[in-house]
Amino acid sequence: MTDNIKHHLNDAVLMAYSAGSLPEAFNLMVAAHLSLCDACRARAESFDALGGEVLEQLESAAVAALRPGSYEATLALIAGGPVAEKTRDDLPCAVLPKPLRDYVGGDLNAVRWKPVGMGVKQAILPTSKDASARLLLIPAGTAMPDHGHHGTEMTMVLQGAFQDEDDYFARGDVEIADSDLHHTPVADIHEDCICLAVTDAPLQFDRLIPKIAQRFLRI
Amino acid sequence: MHLQRNHGMLADVEIDPTLGDAVSIPAMVAKAAATSMKARQRQVTPKNAATRLLWVEHVARIRDHKDTQAFAELFGHFAPRVKGFLINSGADASLAEECTQDVMATLWNKAHQFDASRASVATWIFTIARNRKIDLLRRQRRPEPEDLTWGPEEEPDQADVLTLQQETELLGAALADLPHAQRELIEKAYFGDLTHSEIAAETGLPLGTIKSRIRLALDRLRHAMK
């Protein structure tokens, strides 16, 4: 099911996801990728195993005494009944993996796209401000303007594909770009390309018009 | 046993002919300190696989029989660790206490979701505590990957459970044996004291075998979904 993915998350990102120290937008990227990629899910869960051992082996000085009555209070919590579990919405044919559907409020047809020029559309997802997440729709065959990157940017393909000077990215593939990468990705001709893009800094476009657009369109 | 070994190493310092007269006091102090550090690490004994399997059974007893005795034992072992973990992660004592009770109640309520062919009980409790920590300390949502179908009617194979628990024990032993500085770095990462760009994922620990085990368990679940 998930064996076609060629561009994966790196260990540092997976360990940070397991440790819980990524900004929310990056957590969303990782959760979306793990929904599609069992290889990375297994790697992430092996870092969870390490977290479990850190917990298990806390030195006696770091283990904290509980408040008196702590156990009884916990039993009372349990007697109060479980918090209602979220109803499952299995949509095996959905374009958006479950964690993204939770942010969008549904699959693709629920996305509120805003045009950003040249037929490209985006939808910013509501995450914490330390990083941003957006869905991008790039019409088939369209080239994104030549651009560089500030900070770290990760882009995952959800539908269609794109190609840059070096590589080809299809559903589930993640491109990780840092400030060294300078490229002109082109959406595959066969289908509109839909991506999730997260960044901890704004993209920098090299041409005038996108630069102006960037300022008020929050690209 | 530990003490004897320590004496042996200290004796080495005193009689080592290659050091001769050049042994300065600070060097000896440093070596002795390093030795006592090692001794301290050895006191951190990873739980053996039998204990791990017992805890797996405890979770099953909570799931199947709402067994409070099993819960009390898990609570006694894990709750103080969860609270300590949360305090080390920056929570004050009262928030950590509240959050710990919540984590342990979640263990009871979600016992049916625990999969012992993919995680040890410590691993599972760690993930619950981590998620609560992000909710409460960072006030952020924690997006989780899509669930794979799992239910009590699909009990994992006992052999797979045993292997995973044994391999987690090996991981624990390797963590306990790490040099102090390296171990401390890993703890800092999991307490949230390192930003994501400071985290070095090369731990030198045997994560590969566990990863392969988990991958097999995921393959079985995927297969069961079809």
Side-chain angles (χ1 to χ4, degrees):
Chain A
M1 164 174 185
T2 67
D3 295 340
N4 302 328
I5 296 174
K6 295 198 171 53
H7 301 276
H8 297 273
L9 295 171
N10 62 42
D11 276 348
V13 166
L14 290 175
M15 186 171 171
Y17 178 74
S18 172
S21 46
L22 287 177
E24 186 179 345
F26 283 82
N27 273 340
L28 181 57
M29 167 65 79
V30 176
H33 180 75
L34 299 193
S35 300
L36 300 176
C37 180
D38 283 353
C40 286
R41 193 193 284 242
R43 287 162 64 210
E45 289 183 12
S46 69
F47 282 116
D48 288 346
L50 181 53
E53 292 314 292
V54 168
L55 178 73
E56 176 61 59
Q57 294 180 24
L58 272 193
E59 289 178 21
S60 46
V63 173
L66 299 172
R67 193 187 288 161
S70 184
Y71 177 66
E72 292 71 20
T74 305
L75 289 184
L77 265 183
I78 292 168
V83 183
E85 274 190 52
K86 277 179 250 166
T87 49
R88 303 191 53 149
D89 68 338
D90 289 333
L91 289 174
C93 303
V95 172
L96 303 181
K98 174 82 165 67
L100 280 173
R101 295 203 299 275
D102 288 346
Y103 276 75
V104 165
D107 199 19
L108 270 192
N109 51 11
V111 177
R112 290 207 293 265
W113 295 109
K114 300 235 167 69
V116 290
M118 299 174 305
V120 177
K121 295 176 192 170
Q122 72 165 352
I124 295 174
L125 303 178
T127 61
S128 62
K129 300 292 173 217
D130 44 359
S132 66
R134 78 201 62 223
L135 291 169
L136 288 170
L137 186 154
I138 302 137
T142 304
M144 288 293 276
D146 188 16
H147 63 274
H149 302 264
H150 276 308
T152 303
E153 187 201 336
M154 305 202 300
T155 308
M156 181 168 80
V157 176
L158 296 161
Q159 175 190 293
F162 74 82
Q163 187 152 24
D164 67 7
E165 290 81 350
D166 299 322
D167 249 319
Y168 186 81
F169 297 83
R171 178 169 168 85
D173 282 328
V174 182
E175 183 200 52
I176 302 179
D178 56 24
S179 23
D180 298 334
L181 182 75
H182 200 90
H183 69 161
T184 311
V186 181
D188 193 277
I189 195 73
H190 301 291
E191 195 178 7
D192 291 350
C193 179
I194 293 171
C195 296
L196 169 68
V198 303
T199 175
D200 51 12
L203 280 181
Q204 47 181 140
F205 282 91
D206 294 349
R207 293 178 193 172
L208 183 62
I209 291 171
K211 198 171 259 171
I212 292 168
Q214 185 181 0
R215 205 163 296 148
F216 61 92
L217 293 170
R218 298 169 62 197
I219 291 189
Chain B
M1 176 76 185
H2 295 315
L3 277 176
Q4 270 176 3
R5 198 174 302 171
N6 285 345
H7 280 306
M9 288 172 104
L10 282 173
D12 286 348
V13 174
E14 282 156 299
I15 59 165
D16 189 343
T18 61
L19 294 173
D21 295 332
V23 177
S24 64
I25 299 298
M28 283 187 61
V29 170
K31 187 146 187 187
T35 309
S36 79
M37 195 76 84
K38 276 209 151 160
R40 199 168 55 79
Q41 281 167 31
R42 287 205 188 89
Q43 282 161 10
V44 181
T45 42
K47 284 287 166 204
N48 62 35
T51 311
R52 290 168 189 276
L53 285 172
L54 185 69
W55 283 329
V56 167
E57 273 172 37
H58 279 22
V59 175
R61 274 159 56 196
I62 293 169
R63 180 194 67 200
D64 297 337
H65 309 296
K66 305 204 176 304
D67 185 331
T68 46
Q69 181 57 42
F71 182 68
E73 282 175 35
L74 287 174
F75 189 94
H77 181 76
F78 285 106
R81 285 176 168 75
V82 168
K83 187 171 177 183
F85 170 77
L86 292 167
I87 289 174
N88 271 287
S89 304
D92 65 39
S94 125
L95 183 63
E97 172 72 36
E98 186 190 327
C99 191
T100 298
Q101 294 178 14
D102 202 69
V103 167
M104 298 311 291
T106 303
L107 177 148
W108 177 287
N109 289 326
K110 297 198 169 168
H112 60 283
Q113 289 181 7
F114 173 60
D115 178 354
S117 69
R118 267 165 80 192
S120 73
V121 174
T123 303
W124 186 49
I125 292 177
F126 161 74
T127 61
I128 298 172
R130 172 203 60 205
N131 292 358
R132 289 303 286 151
K133 175 177 111 176
I134 294 173
D135 278 354
L136 285 175
L137 285 184
R138 292 178 48 198
R139 298 176 188 286
Q140 292 186 4
R141 287 166 75 180
R142 161 82 183 185
E144 287 283 309
E146 214 156 280
D147 275 342
L148 304 182
T149 309
W150 183 255
E153 70 278 9
E154 302 159 79
E155 282 281 351
D157 197 78
Q158 275 309 300
D160 295 327
V161 172
L162 179 65
T163 317
L164 192 276
Q165 301 299 320
Q166 283 168 340
E167 268 159 15
T168 315
E169 185 196 350
L170 291 180
L171 173 65
L175 177 65
D177 277 347
L178 278 184
H180 183 70
Q182 208 177 338
R183 188 187 149 89
E184 198 171 52
L185 205 61
I186 291 176
E187 284 173 351
K188 277 178 112 170
Y190 282 92
F191 294 152
D193 289 343
L194 302 179
T195 66
H196 63 281
S197 51
E198 290 167 340
I199 285 181
E202 286 79 31
T203 59
L205 291 167
L207 287 168
T209 48
I210 291 198
K211 183 194 74 189
S212 318
R213 276 291 136 195
I214 297 170
R215 181 66 206 267
L216 288 175
L218 294 175
D219 287 347
R220 280 197 312 276
L221 288 179
R222 292 280 185 205
H223 189 72
M225 281 168 77
K226 281 174 189 161

